[in-house]
Amino acid sequence: MWREVLPNAWESVLSRIRSFEYSEKNAVLVSAAALGVGGMLLYWLRSGRRRETLDMGDGWWGPSEKRFKGKEDATIRPFKIETSDKEIEDLHQRLDRFRFTPHVEGAAFQYGFNSTYLRKVVDYWRNQFDWRKQVEELNKYPHFHTTIEGINIHFIHVKPSYVPPGQAVRPLLLVHGWPGSFYEFYKIIPLLMEPAKHGLNEGDVVFEVICPSIPGYGFSEAPHQKEFDSVATARIFHKLMSRLGFREYYIQGGDWGSRITTNMAQMLPQSVKGLHLNLVFIAGQSLRRMICTMLGAYVPWLVGFTREDAQRFYPFMQKNVYDVLQESGYLHIQATKPDTAGCGLNDSPVGLAAYILEKFSTWTDKSFRERGDGGLESKYSLDELLTNVMIYWVTSSIVSSMRYYKENFAKDPDLCAHNRIGVYVPTGIAAFPQEIVHLPRVWAKDVYKNIVSYTYMPRGGHFAAFEEPKLLAQDIIQFVQKVEQL
C-alpha cells in the first residue's frame, strides 16, 4: 500500500513547494508536510525489515481425560532401557515363522529389499544378534523421561567427564528423523564431548549433548491427539531445554530433525545461538527457480551456482525427479494412510526390518540399488542396523512414527508454509553428496538469511551422524567456532 501512496504524496508536496510563496507561514507548512511524509517513509522502511517469528502457541497431546487433572509433573526422571526373556522369545518365534518370498531373477535392490539378503539378515538376527548386549550399549549414556504437554518425552543427556581449563561447555540439541532414532548419534557423541581425544582438536569447543526422541518414536510417548506436527515438536523441545536450565543453546538436525530445528530457530531465535543442518529442504517452485534451473546447466555462475552445485544438481530430471520418485513411495503412504501399512509392520519384525533397512541402503548411496546386499554392511554393522530396528520393535512405535508424515503433510502439503519466515540465527549447512536432494547455497539463503558456513562434504549420505560421524562432528565444531567469534 505505501508503495502506491508515497509517490503520490511526494508529488503533492513538491507541487505545493513550487506554488508556495516563501512566506514564513508557508515555510512552516512545507516543513510539517515533509516531516509527515518522511515519517511515513521511515515507518514503511522499518515495517519492511521487521522479522516475523513462528507463533509458539501451546498444546496438549495426552489423553483427553487427563487434561485438567492437576498440574503437570515437570520432574526429570531417570530412565533405563530394559528387556526380558519373554520379549526376546516372542521375537525369536516371529523370526522363525518368516515366510520367504523369492525375488525376481537378477534383481538387487531395485525392487526394494532383496529377499535373499534378507534371509541372511534374519538368520543373523535370530542366531547371533544379542539384544541384551545392545541394551547395555544403549544404557551407557544417561536416559531420562519428563512430561511435557501431557506426554512423556524421552531423551539422553550426556556431559563431558572432564573439561580442560579455559574451555566452556556448549549445550547442543541433536534431533533425529525417520526411520532413525536417538541411537544414530551414539558414534558422534564422544567426538563432540571430547574432540581432542578423537583427533578433532579445534580450540575451546566442547559440548554437552541432549538427544530427545521425537514423540511417537522409540521411548517417547506417542501423541494421543491429532495434528501433532514439527511446530508442536519444536515447542516441546524448547520447553525441554528450558526445563534443563538452558537459556541459549545450539541445535542440529537432519531429515525431520532439520525441519524441527528450523522451526525452533523461527520460534525462539533468542534462545538459539546457532542452527546446524545436514539436510536443507525448501520445497515449492517459483519462476526465478525455474529460470535458474534452466540457465544453471549452461552458465551456473550466472545464477549463483558453484561448480560443485552443478555436479550435484544436474542432470536435473535424473537427480531431482526420477531419483526422488524412486525413493519417495513410502512418503505418499505415510502421508495419507499410515495406520494401514503400519499395522503389518508392527506385527512382523521381518517386515519392519525390510522396510526400515531398505532406507539405510539407498539413502546412504543411490548406487547401492545395484548391489545384492544393498551395500548395507559397507557402511554399518548388522548389530548397529538391527539395534535401530529393535528400538522401533520393542516400543511398537512404527505406526506412530509414520503418522508424523500424515500430521505434517495434512497441514502443509509441500512443506512450504514456514518458508516465508526467515531464519536469522547463525546457520551452518553440511551438504553431503549422497543426500536425496541437493539445495544450492544461493537457494538456501531464501529462508536461512545468516549462513555462516556451507560445506560440500566429501562423502556421505542421508544418515550423516550414523555413517560419517567424524566428518559431521568436525563441521559442527568449526561452525560453532565461527559463531562464537561473531
Side-chain angles (χ1 to χ4, degrees), residues 22-138:
Y22 283 93
S23 64
E24 184 177 340
K25 179 178 179 181
N26 285 344
V28 172
L29 289 174
V30 171
S31 300
L35 185 63
V37 174
M40 288 190 294
L41 178 62
L42 182 63
Y43 174 81
W44 174 61
L45 291 173
R46 290 188 66 182
S47 64
R49 291 198 300 266
R50 186 174 297 153
R51 295 179 179 178
E52 186 179 359
T53 58
L54 187 62
D55 181 33
M56 188 165 185
D58 207 353
W60 175 267
W61 310 104
S64 298
E65 64 270 16
K66 294 184 179 180
R67 183 163 191 170
F68 302 106
K69 293 186 178 180
K71 189 177 180 180
E72 186 168 82
D73 180 7
T75 59
I76 307 292
R77 305 179 295 276
F79 170 73
K80 189 174 182 179
I81 299 172
E82 296 179 343
T83 188
S84 65
D85 291 340
K86 183 178 179 181
E87 184 175 72
I88 295 171
E89 288 169 7
D90 176 71
L91 171 68
H92 287 173
Q93 289 171 8
R94 291 170 186 265
L95 294 176
D96 288 338
R97 294 196 298 269
F98 164 46
R99 293 200 300 174
F100 174 73
T101 303
H103 61 81
V104 178
E105 290 184 13
F109 264 58
Q110 298 96 336
Y111 287 73
F113 206 103
N114 181 284
S115 58
T116 298
Y117 180 64
L118 184 60
R119 265 183 163 170
K120 176 186 174 182
V121 173
V122 173
D123 179 71
Y124 182 88
W125 198 359
R126 173 63 177 85
N127 299 306
Q128 293 178 259
F129 179 76
D130 188 342
W131 175 231
R132 292 187 184 279
K133 179 181 177 182
Q134 295 309 117
V135 166
E136 290 180 9
E137 172 69 12
L138 291 173

Side-chain angles (χ1 to χ4, degrees), residues 203-277:
D204 60 352
V205 176
V206 177
F207 297 97
E208 63 176 291
V209 180
I210 302 92
C211 298
S213 294
I214 298 172
Y217 288 68
F219 299 99
S220 275
E221 185 178 355
H224 297 257
Q225 311 297 328
K226 294 188 293 185
E227 301 186 355
F228 183 85
D229 60 4
S230 63
V231 175
T233 313
R235 181 178 62 244
I236 283 177
F237 287 172
H238 270 310
K239 289 181 178 181
L240 171 63
M241 296 301 279
S242 176
R243 190 170 291 183
L244 292 173
F246 300 116
R247 296 181 62 185
E248 287 186 320
Y249 33 89
Y250 289 93
I251 54 180
Q252 199 283 333
D255 196 87
W256 280 122
S258 171
R259 182 171 169 90
I260 292 165
T261 52
T262 294
N263 288 161
M264 291 178 74
Q266 293 168 320
M267 186 179 289
L268 288 179
Q270 67 272 22
S271 295
V272 178
K273 288 198 70 177
L275 166 67
H276 187 278
L277 306 171

Side-chain angles (χ1 to χ4, degrees), residues 154-166:
H154 163 261
F155 63 98
I156 60 176
H157 186 184
V158 192
K159 302 177 183 180
S161 57
Y162 170 72
V163 180

